[in-house]
């Protein structure tokens, strides 16, 4: 998928039986015949020779195991101390569209030394993503995308027609993988990885959209799990209004936390000023078409653009850098932008993944206006949430989802560690609360009281809880919290690249 939040700044993250030679029989969806999965032939990754890369050949359609196949790209960073090795940990950084291969390459900079010593960290590019038969769409067509904020029935109809055209273009450019890229399919791929590795049980760490993968895997293959962490949780039970409203609450919370940061932080360019009034005035100017876009002086920023920046900034959070950018906007200082070259195709897994995982459909302009009024009423300072709004509008005109929302039903899995930040702009805290409520017999809920998207490496407390569980399977009491840690202020010029390979929807 494209970047769903247009960002104004840089703040917008037991020993194995290793088999060789013979194929491994792998279960397919219930009621279907088995198919064979060969062990992975590992070789040094071109981009990181100390990491092993390989390809797993799997059916595109699991109901037709003898049908067309695709190559699932995998990468393995082996345990650095084989004498202490516990097993394999499959990881995913979210998205939809994040590369697990890239995550595995950088995993030694994300996970602690102890985890790197004791686990083979195995990442994969989900079907339709990056190296695994990526879903692609014509860049020329994407450049013609209408606004996801139509002002009248004609503009709404234009967006519906565009989405239908884009879907058909993506299907044409991508082939049959487009119709078989839901997270339900990915859950079966994960178990194929387990079998190809020769592991009786696997460990799993999924962040953001990777939590849906973990949830689906736990529902279908719970007995094959040793330990599972689902960090920054999706709620795969929400209807359209609930999805949009909850995301809007997260966006407004992000704005309010940014304002509180400004009030207490001398390094903010607006410290000591009435930043809330400055922001309100800026929104009003944008409403009148008087604010130039920093990426193109010929384009005028809308209030929705400014709200998108708040949501993107809150992933880090990048309070300092976004405040500095807003200062530039207030002072009229533009920033150059980049564009695709004509005739290219570009990776765009969103239509084939999210629109098949979530049946968030609206059927008319009147229904659209009702949703806009709902989200703007909840989050007036950000005009709703760019994530929630774009997710819904990106799927209008599509057929029904093949893997639609439903409550979690985990029955045969061991205890799972479920974590979330209190002030997460993307996978909002109430999603984690609801996911835990649906799975309270199988999940232990830990809250990070601070900000941003992703919990594992937020503090010594969060890392210790995660690592202790992975190593010893010891879990804290349900409802445990870790105190907030104030993020170190980073000016725009000093922003570092995120440690986690960034997927476009839900990872920092």
């Amino acid at each position: 998928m494209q970047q769903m939040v247009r960002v104004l700044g840089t703040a917008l993250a037991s020993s194995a039986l290793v088999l060789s030679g013979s194929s491994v029989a792998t279960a397919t969806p219930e009621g279907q015949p088995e198919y064979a999965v060969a062990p992975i032939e590992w070789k040094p990754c071109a981009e990181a020779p100390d990491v092993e890369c390989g390809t797993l050949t799997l059916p595109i359609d699991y109901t037709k195991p003898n049908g067309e196949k695709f190559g699932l790209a995998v990468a393995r960073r082996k345990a650095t101390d084989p004498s202490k090795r516990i097993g394999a940990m499959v990881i995913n950084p979210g998205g939809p569209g994040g590369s697990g291969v890239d995550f595995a390459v950088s995993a030694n900079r994300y996970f602690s030394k102890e985890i790197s010593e004791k686990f083979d960290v195995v990442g994969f590019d989900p079907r339709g993503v990056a190296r695994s038969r990526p879903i692609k769409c014509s860049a020329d067509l994407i450049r013609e995308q209408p606004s996801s904020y139509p002002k009248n029935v004609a503009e709404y109809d234009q967006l519906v027609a565009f989405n239908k055209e884009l879907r058909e273009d993506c299907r044409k450019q991508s082939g049959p993988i487009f119709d078989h890229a839901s997270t339900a399919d990915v859950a079966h791929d994960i178990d194929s990885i387990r079998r190809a590795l020769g592991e009786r049980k696997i460990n799993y760490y999924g962040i953001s959209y990777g939590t849906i993968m973990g949830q689906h895997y736990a529902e279908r293959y719970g007995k094959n799990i040793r330990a599972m962490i689902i960090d920054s949780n999706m709620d795969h039970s929400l209807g359209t209004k609930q999805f949009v409203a909850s995301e809007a609450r997260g966006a407004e919370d992000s704005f309010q936390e940014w304002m509180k940061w400004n009030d207490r932080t001398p390094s903010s360019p607006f410290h000591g000023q009435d930043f809330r009034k400055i922001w309100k005035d800026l929104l009003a100017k944008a409403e009148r078409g008087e604010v130039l876009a920093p990426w193109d002086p010929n384009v005028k920023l809308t209030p929705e653009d400014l709200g998108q920046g708040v949501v993107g900034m809150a992933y880090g959070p990048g309070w300092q850098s976004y405040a500095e950018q807003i200062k530039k906007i207030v002072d009229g200082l533009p920033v150059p932008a980049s564009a695709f070259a004509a005739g290219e195709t570009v990776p765009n897994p969103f239509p084939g993944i999210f629109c098949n995982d979530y049946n968030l459909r609206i059927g008319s302009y009147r229904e659209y206006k009702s949703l806009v009024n709902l989200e703007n009423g909840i989050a007036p300072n950000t005009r709703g949430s760019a994530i929630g709004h774009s997710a819904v509008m990106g799927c209008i005109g599509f057929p029904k989802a093949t893997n639609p929302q439903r409550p979690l039903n985990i029955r045969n899995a061991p205890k799972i560690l479920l974590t979330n930040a209190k002030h997460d702009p993307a996978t909002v805290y109430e999603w984690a609360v609801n996911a835990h409520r649906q799975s309270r017999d199988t999940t232990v809920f830990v809250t990070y009281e601070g900000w941003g998207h992703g919990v594992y490496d937020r503090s010594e407390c969060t890392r210790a809880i995660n690592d202790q569980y992975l190593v010893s399977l010891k879990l804290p009491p349900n409802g445990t919290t870790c105190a907030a840690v104030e993020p170190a202020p980073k000016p725009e010029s000093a922003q570092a690249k995120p440690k986690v390979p960034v997927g476009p929807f839900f990872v920092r």
Side-chain angles (χ1 to χ4, degrees):
M1 109 182 192
Q2 309 166 67
Q3 183 72 37
M4 289 198 64
V5 179
R6 180 168 47 181
V7 182
L8 303 185
T10 53
L12 230 231
S14 62
S15 297
L17 172 62
V18 180
L19 304 180
S20 60
S22 60
S23 62
V24 183
T26 303
T28 57
E30 187 175 351
Q32 300 298 327
E34 289 193 347
Y35 63 93
V37 175
I40 300 165
E41 294 185 10
W42 299 105
K43 60 181 180 181
C45 299
E47 62 270 48
D50 59 330
V51 180
E52 299 173 316
C53 283
T55 302
L56 187 58
T57 301
L58 299 174
I60 289 177
D61 184 351
Y62 275 86
T63 67
K64 300 175 181 177
N66 296 320
E68 186 174 349
K69 306 294 194 297
F70 78 103
L72 184 81
V74 291
R76 178 173 66 180
R77 181 175 283 281
K78 297 186 75 172
T80 57
D81 189 341
S83 67
K84 298 179 181 178
R85 183 183 182 277
I86 292 173
M89 180 169 66
V90 177
I91 60 173
N92 185 271
S99 167
V101 169
D102 290 346
F103 193 5
V105 167
S106 63
N108 61 326
R109 300 194 302 275
Y110 181 73
F111 295 106
S112 68
K113 181 175 181 290
E114 182 179 26
I115 298 305
S116 296
E117 286 177 346
K118 296 179 178 180
F119 291 89
D120 292 344
V121 178
V122 180
F124 68 102
D125 289 350
R127 51 176 59 217
V129 173
R131 305 161 185 83
S132 297
R133 189 76 71 89
I135 293 172
K136 295 182 178 180
C137 310
S138 298
D140 289 340
L141 179 59
I142 289 176
R143 275 196 295 269
E144 297 173 2
Q145 180 173 359
S147 170
S148 61
Y149 294 88
K151 295 181 176 63
N152 51 50
V153 173
E155 290 187 5
Y156 174 87
D157 290 343
Q158 181 186 11
L159 181 59
V160 172
F162 171 83
N163 281 354
K164 290 180 178 179
E165 182 181 3
L166 179 65
R167 181 177 184 273
E168 290 310 307
D169 174 82
C170 298
R171 294 182 78 216
K172 179 180 178 181
Q173 300 288 347
S174 309
I177 198 74
F178 183 92
D179 294 324
H180 299 279
S182 79
T183 304
D185 297 296
V186 174
H188 301 309
D189 292 342
I190 293 173
D191 205 59
S192 298
I193 295 172
R194 178 189 66 82
R195 290 177 176 259
L197 291 172
E199 299 282 347
R200 188 174 64 87
K201 293 179 182 288
I202 57 168
N203 306 277
Y204 180 83
Y205 172 82
I207 184 172
S208 194
Y209 211 80
T211 63
I212 291 190
M213 299 174 191
Q215 292 167 9
H216 278 54
Y217 188 78
E219 287 182 317
R220 291 165 173 78
Y221 299 101
K223 61 184 176 60
N224 297 336
I225 297 170
R226 175 187 172 271
M228 174 176 284
I229 298 171
I230 42 179
D231 178 339
S232 305
N233 279 260
M234 301 290 292
D235 181 357
H236 197 227
S237 71
L238 299 176
T240 304
K241 286 186 178 180
Q242 294 169 305
F243 186 92
V244 168
S246 58
E247 287 288 73
R249 285 189 286 271
E252 183 67 16
D253 175 73
S254 294
F255 173 81
Q256 296 299 339
E257 291 300 309
W258 186 37
M259 293 295 107
K260 293 175 186 176
W261 167 84
N262 174 76
D263 293 342
R264 67 177 181 263
T265 308
S267 65
S268 171
F270 297 104
H271 182 68
Q273 304 177 47
D274 189 347
F275 195 9
R276 290 167 179 80
K277 184 179 186 304
I278 292 171
W279 182 261
K280 183 178 180 180
D281 291 345
L282 184 62
L283 289 179
K285 287 183 65 178
E287 197 81 62
R288 297 192 299 268
E290 300 173 0
V291 180
L292 298 180
W295 54 84
D296 186 343
N298 297 312
V299 174
K300 293 177 180 178
L301 279 176
T302 67
E304 291 79 15
D305 290 326
L306 295 169
Q308 286 176 353
V310 172
V311 173
M313 163 272 294
Y315 275 54
W319 289 320
Q320 180 80 31
S321 62
Y322 193 53
E324 291 179 1
Q325 290 181 51
I326 292 301
K327 184 69 165 62
K328 288 183 178 180
I329 291 173
V330 169
D331 293 343
L333 301 176
V335 177
S338 60
F340 296 125
E344 287 182 322
T345 60
V346 293
N348 185 28
F350 171 76
I353 300 176
F354 186 85
C355 295
N356 268 328
D357 279 338
Y358 277 88
N359 199 44
L360 304 176
R361 307 293 192 265
I362 55 177
S364 67
Y365 179 72
R366 181 178 179 179
E367 187 178 354
Y368 160 75
K369 286 298 294 182
S370 176
L371 279 179
V372 170
N373 291 337
L374 173 67
E375 61 180 343
N376 286 353
I378 294 170
N381 289 294
T382 58
R383 297 298 195 267
S385 167
I387 295 174
H389 185 95
S390 298
V392 172
M393 300 308 288
C395 298
I396 60 170
F398 277 46
K400 291 183 178 180
T402 59
N403 179 40
Q405 308 95 291
R406 53 180 173 72
L408 268 175
N409 183 22
I410 302 174
R411 292 175 294 178
N412 298 316
K415 289 289 186 180
I416 293 167
L417 178 59
L418 185 155
T419 66
N420 223 89
K422 197 69 169 285
H423 304 289
D424 189 319
T427 55
V428 295
Y429 186 69
E430 62 186 88
W431 287 6
V433 172
N434 203 29
H436 173 59
R437 180 187 59 78
Q438 298 166 40
S439 60
R440 63 173 61 254
D441 292 336
T442 52
T443 57
V444 171
F445 188 15
V446 171
T447 297
Y448 170 61
E449 296 284 350
W451 311 270
H453 187 49
V455 168
Y456 173 82
D457 60 347
R458 288 290 168 181
S459 69
E460 292 182 8
C461 174
T462 58
R463 190 187 295 274
I465 287 173
N466 280 271
D467 286 359
Q468 180 175 259
Y469 167 61
L470 285 172
V471 172
S472 68
L473 299 181
K474 183 178 179 181
L475 283 161
N478 192 50
T480 294
T481 63
C482 286
V485 175
E486 186 83 9
K490 293 181 180 179
E492 180 185 356
S493 60
Q495 284 295 304
K497 293 179 68 175
K499 291 184 291 182
V500 181
V502 175
F505 198 1
F506 286 134
V507 285
R508 59 192 166 102

